[in-house]
Amino acid sequence: MADTQPLVLGFETSCDETGIGLVRGQTLLSDALATSMAEHERFGGVIPEIASRAHLEAMVPTVHRALAEAGVGFGDVDAVAVTSGPGLTGALLVGVAAAKAYALALGVPLYGVNHLAAHVAVDELEHGRLAEPSIAMLVSGGHSSLLLVPDLAQDVQPLGQTVDDAAGEAFDKVARVLGLPFPGGPPIDRAAREGDPRSIAFPRGLTGPRDAPYDFSFSGLKTAVARWVEARERAGEPVPVADVAAAFQEAVVDVLTAKAVRACREHGVDHLVVGGGVAANSRLRAVAQERCDAAGIVLRVPSPRLCTDNGAMVAALGSRLVEAGVAPSAPDLGADSSLPVTVVSQ
Amino acid sequence: MLVLALDTATPTLVVGLAATGPDGRVLAEAALASGTRHAELLTPTVTAVLAEAGVTLTDVGALVVGLGPGPYTGLRVGIVTAAALGDALGLPVHGVCSLDAVGSGARVVVTDARRKEVHWRAYDDAGAPTTEPGVGRPEDLELPDLPLVGDVRFAERLGRDVTPAEVSTAGLLRAVQPLLEAPPEPLVPLYLRRPDAVPNVVRKPVTR
Ligand SMILES: [Zn+2]
């Protein structure tokens, strides 16, 4: 890879991960991560103030780890990119302030970027240039969205999103009902391997003929699982954890993949990118692959490490913006906790 | 040596450039009623203050930043900005208690801690702190019998006059002066309160 491509330093602090990544062109150089997840575990969810405090503590050491892993120095950095939204305001602001200061001190341009578009961009580090247009499905503890991506650098269109809980949130809540640890995704994935996905028929939200075709709803499913488990407990019967996990997971995966494939078909798009923490779910990956194969769609899913929030995804999108000649952010860039997905960079 | 001073512990964003030494003085300063927009305005204000003084970041020899106490989100913006600037430029960054930079001489400084409480700290004739920074309801505090300076909106609830005063570059410079010779301590924000969060020990049923 030619050294003439710009080196971009990316900052991600929208939730509980302090992610600092370095990307040159489309090549991943380093991806340093500090997480405050352990501190949130006993609360069963991310506590914004705890996350923000941890970002501040982790910032400078994580930047140094990223530079050391990549074998580069501050003087090599050509641009800085930072998640400016959506996310937790207090958490976002630590990253935005840090990125602005590094950009100012290094005399390089700064790009405030959209977290969701960055989840799509990270796939380019592993699978090369994104086909445009692509459909992107982003599923995590904080978001569940279907996007049409005609041009990753400047044209991302929302097709649908969750109307209540994010997919990852449903995993967390069902894990709690089943007495499994937080975050709920990995333990449910593991438990489900021993269970029968057809043992219980849990509801598929928003899949009726008159429902919004690309929106998601997981709140009803979560409640249905809780009611089912509580009925068992009240009857004094043992709860078949593996079966409940498998049947719940199947309901989520069925809805997600069906809607993603439908979005591809109805928009005449033959490439699907899946990202976000829930994309690490083994059943989601398997069913998405089956259904994409059957429909003639090319499926791209980053490796699990890059599906969850990280700094490399921000650097990857920053690199795309530099290449596309998009104007850098104004000096008064701030954070926007509800930044619309249509705003790729601020 | 030129010192760049930052403070975001109060709704007033303070950025200043000062020269240290016997003829130490403030060369340029901005105090913006920025409210909750510290993150937006801090780096542009640094640029403006440096330009006003006719210098660049490479002329700066050290940074000082207020560690609070103050509202956490804004406070962190100043601290992480100072830490990042110092890191990228290879400069020492010294943290000081923001209250130390309000007023001078024997006094009790009071600032807004939100939730109807104040942050406060007392100082002797030489201006040296005689207490740790504290937080509490104005009605409950037994403050030393010294002039009160700071946020005048608390005068009524404190039952005493408060002379208006805010964080200033001169105050930050005065507070950092004794620290400049030594290697900087880690930048630990003066939060004074624990995060509001209750551990989730029992599972609440969604149905009855
Ligand atoms: Zn995310």
Side-chain angles (χ1 to χ4, degrees), chain A residues 115 119 140 143 309 313:
Chain A
H115 180 82
H119 268 303
S140 77
H143 31 79
D309 294 350
M313 68 191 221

Side-chain angles (χ1 to χ4, degrees), chain B residues 29-44:
Chain B
E29 177 176 30
L32 297 182
S34 147
T36 56
R37 301 191 66 224
H38 292 336
E40 287 93 321
L41 300 177
L42 181 50
T43 45

Side-chain angles (χ1 to χ4, degrees), chain A residues 152-210:
Chain A
L152 182 54
Q154 30 208 347
D155 185 9
V156 176
Q157 300 166 15
L159 298 179
Q161 60 182 342
T162 181
V163 298
D164 40 52
D165 293 344
E169 241 178 315
F171 274 88
D172 291 340
K173 289 174 178 172
V174 166
R176 194 192 299 170
V177 166
L178 293 176
L180 298 171
F182 172 86
I188 286 186
D189 195 349
R190 268 193 304 277
R193 278 173 213 159
E194 312 296 321
D196 176 3
R198 284 173 305 271
S199 58
I200 310 158
F202 285 130
R204 269 68 168 158
L206 293 185
T207 50
R210 291 163 134 184

